Amino acid sequence: MDAFASALLNWYDVHGRHDLPWQRARTPYRVWLSEIMLQQTRVATVIPYFERFVAALPDLPSLAAADEDRVLALWAGLGYYSRARNLLAAARTCMERHGGTLPRDIESLAALPGIGRSTAAAILAQAHDEPHAILDGNVRRVLARRHGVAGWPGTPRVQRVLWDHALQHTPTRRAADYTQAIMDLGATLCTRTSPRCGECPVADGCVAREQGRVAELPTPKPSKALPQRDTTMLVLRDTKGHVLLRRRAPTGVWARLWSLPEADANTVESVAMRHAARIEARRELPAFVHVFSHFQLRVTPVRFDVRRAASGVGDDPDSRWCAPDAWRALGLPAPVRRLLDRLEDDP
């Protein structure tokens, strides 16, 4: 075991996180679920979602048997919904090809939807104590600073360098603890801003600290202005308080989630009239902006109090009128859920 790993493990034994929900009854399923939820999401945010998810779907077979709406509803608000769809697809693949369990070899595990090399390594290390190197966002930051690796970590060249360092430091013993330790270090001390270098157990030998480059490493992704898109969301509410929801397309933003009908500024009235026999009242609600990783979406909600057509939504499986207790059980994008919650507060 090298000096870096040894010092990190000594720190982890005293200061590391040892009682996270997925560390209790540490099954491969629970570790896998936590690793997927923790992609691009903080631990404090993930914990209540994780506990709710495993209470509803406690193991891989129950996840594989669940329908997509239920999985997306459990995930609603956590964002990056492709993670939830990949979880379901991977669980079903495991039932079909791997005897209802996650495979133990890293190649087969990494090939499952939404997993990949680093997540597969983290699952095997934490669930089976196998010595596999990981390279998630926290670990990239720690290693880029430790070894003075410049360049955006998203490039193949920098990735290769960081993987070499990750492999070099990963010990053959206590792999599960080391994996958690290096993630904890990045999450609690070697943070992106305001790192606490004075408390770091591996500060000695850190190139970024010695050269005064902590603030500039890892090199950030080259920035560019986010483009803005505009849409109008129609809040169609009938005389019983039911709201019309539409399931989104299988690809694109919020794929397969339930949302509100949309229109451009010129077709709002005509889209509303497709679903209503008569419009009783119309009111424009305050606009808001939702930021995605690659663009900003400016939403103008328009509320219509309507009388429903006698035929309802017909045989369209992707449209439904929902009472509040029904739409709260569906997978809705977080901003749509907040919008409908405000509607209930101001009927």
Side-chain angles (χ1 to χ4, degrees):
M1 185 181 299
D2 72 5
F4 176 87
S6 180
L8 193 53
L9 284 166
N10 289 337
W11 169 82
Y12 172 74
D13 288 340
V14 179
H15 301 288
R17 297 180 288 195
H18 301 273
D19 196 35
L20 297 170
W22 42 91
Q23 293 174 319
R24 307 171 212 144
R26 191 180 287 191
T27 66
Y29 173 75
R30 290 167 66 89
V31 171
W32 167 45
L33 177 61
S34 71
E35 285 298 317
I36 300 301
M37 286 186 166
L38 287 165
Q39 292 171 354
Q40 300 174 292
T41 310
R42 295 178 182 275
V43 167
T45 301
V46 163
I47 287 173
Y49 284 92
F50 176 87
E51 292 177 331
R52 183 178 64 168
F53 200 103
V54 295
L57 303 172
D59 51 29
L60 191 150
S62 63
L63 170 58
D67 63 39
E68 186 179 75
D69 279 341
R70 189 178 190 204
V71 174
L72 290 174
L74 290 167
W75 198 274
L78 200 53
Y80 300 96
Y81 292 93
S82 61
R83 295 181 296 174
R85 290 188 290 273
N86 284 333
L87 267 175
L88 181 56
R92 290 174 175 172
T93 299
C94 287
M95 296 301 294
E96 295 168 3
R97 303 180 188 174
H98 301 293
T101 61
L102 288 165
R104 283 286 297 266
D105 65 284
I106 193 165
E107 291 81 9
S108 298
L109 187 56
L112 291 173
I115 294 187
R117 178 182 176 183
S118 182
T119 300
I123 294 167
L124 294 175
Q126 293 183 88
H128 303 294
D129 205 27
E130 295 181 5
H132 294 285
I134 69 166
L135 197 65
D136 72 354
N138 284 322
V139 177
R140 286 196 297 268
R141 183 167 57 255
V142 169
L143 295 179
R145 287 172 173 167
R146 172 76 182 182
H147 296 282
V149 179
W152 178 47
T155 64
R157 179 190 66 80
V158 178
Q159 284 270 347
R160 286 194 295 271
V161 173
L162 293 175
W163 271 115
D164 287 343
H165 290 307
L167 290 164
Q168 166 197 339
H169 291 306
T170 302
T172 56
R173 294 183 294 106
R174 297 191 65 188
D177 288 343
Y178 173 82
T179 298
Q180 187 64 54
I182 195 167
M183 291 190 295
D184 282 0
L185 183 71
T188 62
L189 297 185
C190 194
T191 51
R192 185 174 61 85
T193 59
S194 304
R196 291 148 56 190
C197 298
E199 302 173 45
C200 179
V202 289
D204 291 343
C206 176
V207 173
R209 185 169 184 253
E210 292 171 354
Q211 297 180 353
R213 301 168 61 203
V214 173
E216 68 185 65
L217 293 177
T219 305
K221 182 179 181 179
S223 61
K224 59 180 181 180
L226 291 178
Q228 179 173 295
R229 303 179 190 173
D230 295 273
T231 191
T232 300
M233 287 188 174
L234 281 61
V235 185
L236 299 173
R237 192 174 186 187
D238 71 7
T239 54
K240 295 182 179 179
H242 293 71
V243 173
L244 180 68
L245 296 178
R246 292 272 304 160
R247 196 201 306 266
R248 295 179 66 88
T251 58
V253 171
W254 296 328
R256 301 300 293 165
L257 295 184
W258 289 89
S259 187
L260 295 164
E262 294 184 29
D264 60 43
N266 298 318
T267 60
V268 172
E269 298 286 343
S270 61
V271 171
M273 286 305 299
R274 289 180 202 161
H275 305 288
R278 186 167 75 248
I279 294 174
E280 304 284 355
R282 179 189 192 278
R283 176 158 57 102
E284 189 166 306
L285 304 176
F288 61 88
V289 174
H290 186 72
V291 180
F292 294 92
S293 59
H294 54 297
F295 72 96
Q296 299 182 78
L297 183 65
R298 186 176 188 276
V299 178
T300 302
V302 180
R303 172 176 170 171
F304 291 91
D305 295 330
V306 304
R307 289 193 178 275
R308 257 198 271 174
S311 59
V313 293
D315 297 324
D316 184 358
D318 293 326
S319 293
R320 63 175 67 167
W321 290 90
C322 292
D325 59 344
W327 62 252
R328 288 193 174 100
L330 295 175
L332 300 175
V336 173
R337 185 176 294 271
R338 288 193 294 268
L339 177 60
L340 293 179
D341 280 334
R342 288 197 297 271
L343 186 69
E344 291 304 303
D345 293 337
D346 181 25

